[in-house]
C-alpha cells in the first residue's frame, strides 16, 4: 500500500454527464500528478501540481477537464460532458519536489462512459 | 520530447529463472532519470528501480538490476531468481524536466 487513496474506485456514467474524482496523497507529497491509462497502454501524463499550483497540463487535457488542488492537499479531477473516449483508468500519484523522486500511485479510478 | 519503446509486449518465464526486459528511449535532455515501475494485477503501481543518467554505475535493488547503456539509449531490467510475485506489468519510464513518460509496458508472467 502506497498510502495514496483515490475515490471512487469505479464510476459508470452516461455520455454527457459530469464526473469528479478525488485523490488523497500522503502529507509529504508536495507534487501530485494525474495520469490516464487505457487498456494495454502505459499511463499518459495529464497534469501536475506543485503544492496548490497547477504547473503543467498535457495537450490531452481538453477544456472539458479541470483539476484542482486546494490547499495543496487532496486533488480533484473533473470531466464535464463525458464522452465514450474518456473511458479509462485515471491514476494519481504523489511525490516530493523533483522528477527524480519516486512517485507513489493510488489504485486508480476506472471510468466507464456508456 | 521524450519517447520510450518496450519491444516485448509479453513474456513468460519459469520461477527461479532470470529474465531481462528491454527498453530504449530517446530524449534531448542532458539531465534525466530512468525508472522501472511495476503494476501487479489489480494493485497499485510501485517503483522497482531508478537510475540517474549521469551515473555510469548500473543501479541494483536486491534481485533487480539494470543495464544502462547511455550512448545506445538503452535501459533494460534484469530480474534474477524470479518469483511468482514478480508477475506484473513492467513500465520503463524516462523522466526529465517535471514529468516522466511511460512506455506501453511488458506483461511478465512467472510460471510455477
Amino acid at each position: 500500500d502506497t498510502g495514496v487513496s483515490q475515490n471512487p474506485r469505479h464510476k459508470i456514467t452516461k455520455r454527457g454527464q459530469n464526473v469528479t474524482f478525488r485523490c488523497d496523497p500522503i502529507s509529504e507529497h508536495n507534487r501530485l500528478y494525474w495520469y490516464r491509462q487505457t487498456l494495454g497502454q502505459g499511463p499518459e501524463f495529464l497534469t501536475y501540481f506543485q503544492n496548490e499550483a497547477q504547473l503543467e497540463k498535457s495537450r490531452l487535457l481538453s477544456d472539458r477537464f479541470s483539476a484542482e488542488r486546494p490547499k495543496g492537499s487532496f486533488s480533484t479531477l473533473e470531466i464535464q460532458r463525458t464522452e465514450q473516449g474518456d473511458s479509462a483508468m485515471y491514476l494519481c500519484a504523489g511525490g516530493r519536489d523533483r522528477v527524480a523522486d519516486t512517485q507513489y500511485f493510488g489504485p486508480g479510478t476506472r471510468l466507464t462512459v456508456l | 520530447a521524450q519517447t520510450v519503446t518496450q519491444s516485448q509486449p509479453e513474456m513468460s518465464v519459469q520461477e527461479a529463472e532470470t529474465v531481462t526486459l528491454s527498453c530504449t528511449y530517446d530524449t534531448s535532455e542532458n539531465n534525466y532519470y530512468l525508472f522501472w515501475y511495476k503494476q501487479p494485477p489489480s494493485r497499485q503501481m510501485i517503483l522497482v528501480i531508478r537510475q540517474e543518467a549521469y551515473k555510469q554505475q548500473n543501479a541494483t535493488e536486491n534481485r533487480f538490476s539494470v543495464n544502462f547503456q547511455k550512448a545506445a539509449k538503452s535501459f533494460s531490467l534484469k530480474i534474477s531468481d524470479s518469483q511468482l510475485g514478480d508477475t506484473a506489468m513492467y513500465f520503463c519510464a524516462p523522466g526529465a524536466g517535471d514529468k516522466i513518460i511511460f512506455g506501453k509496458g511488458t506483461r511478465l508472467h512467472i510460471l510455477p
Side-chain angles (χ1 to χ4, degrees):
Chain A
D1 186 1
T2 62
V4 178
S5 61
Q6 290 187 248
N7 289 287
R9 296 291 305 277
H10 300 90
K11 179 71 176 178
I12 300 174
T13 191
K14 293 183 178 180
R15 188 176 49 163
Q17 297 294 305
N18 299 341
V19 295
T20 300
F21 311 139
R22 176 174 170 134
C23 172
D24 287 87
I26 63 176
S27 58
E28 291 83 2
H29 291 163
N30 296 324
R31 286 198 176 187
L32 189 146
Y33 301 83
W34 283 100
Y35 296 90
R36 181 171 68 188
Q37 187 178 22
T38 53
L39 202 61
Q41 302 293 318
E44 296 173 294
F45 171 81
L46 293 178
T47 188
Y48 91 95
F49 293 83
Q50 179 78 35
N51 300 312
E52 66 274 9
Q54 187 175 17
L55 296 186
E56 187 170 345
K57 293 192 288 186
S58 164
R59 289 170 294 176
L60 294 173
L61 213 65
S62 75
D63 56 6
R64 296 185 298 107
F65 289 71
S66 62
E68 293 182 341
R69 194 183 184 198
K71 303 179 183 179
S73 55
F74 71 92
S75 177
T76 58
L77 178 68
E78 181 183 15
I79 309 175
Q80 295 182 328
R81 305 181 303 280
T82 52
E83 302 173 356
Q84 289 185 324
D86 297 331
S87 294
M89 177 76 83
Y90 290 85
L91 299 170
C92 79
R96 294 190 185 274
D97 296 312
R98 305 176 306 144
V99 70
D101 296 324
T102 301
Q103 292 189 21
Y104 295 88
F105 283 80
T109 295
R110 181 167 296 283
L111 173 66
T112 302
V113 182
L114 302 176
Chain B
Q2 297 172 122
T3 61
V4 55
T5 301
Q6 294 181 248
S7 59
Q8 304 147 312
E10 196 160 1
M11 300 180 71
S12 296
V13 296
Q14 295 292 137
E15 191 176 8
E17 290 185 347
T18 294
V19 60
T20 299
L21 280 58
S22 302
C23 173
T24 58
Y25 63 92
D26 195 12
T27 180
S28 56
E29 302 285 342
N30 290 321
N31 185 24
Y32 59 93
Y33 303 85
L34 297 157
F35 306 86
W36 279 96
Y37 277 86
K38 166 185 176 180
Q39 190 174 38
S42 301
R43 294 183 62 188
Q44 291 160 258
M45 183 118 63
I46 57 173
L47 178 69
V48 176
I49 198 164
R50 168 185 30 235
Q51 172 83 39
E52 288 89 347
Y54 63 86
K55 288 187 177 179
Q56 293 186 337
Q57 186 173 7
N58 288 326
T60 63
E61 285 288 343
N62 302 313
R63 298 182 296 107
F64 299 88
S65 61
V66 300
N67 183 2
F68 174 44
Q69 302 290 328
K70 189 171 184 178
K73 295 184 177 176
S74 170
F75 183 60
S76 61
L77 174 69
K78 185 171 83 171
I79 306 174
S80 303
D81 185 27
S82 55
Q83 300 175 359
L84 296 178
D86 295 332
T87 291
M89 283 289 289
Y90 287 81
F91 295 99
C92 174
D98 292 317
K99 60 181 181 285
I100 62 177
I101 303 298
F102 288 85
K104 291 187 176 182
T106 295
R107 186 176 300 279
L108 178 64
H109 301 274
I110 308 299
L111 307 173

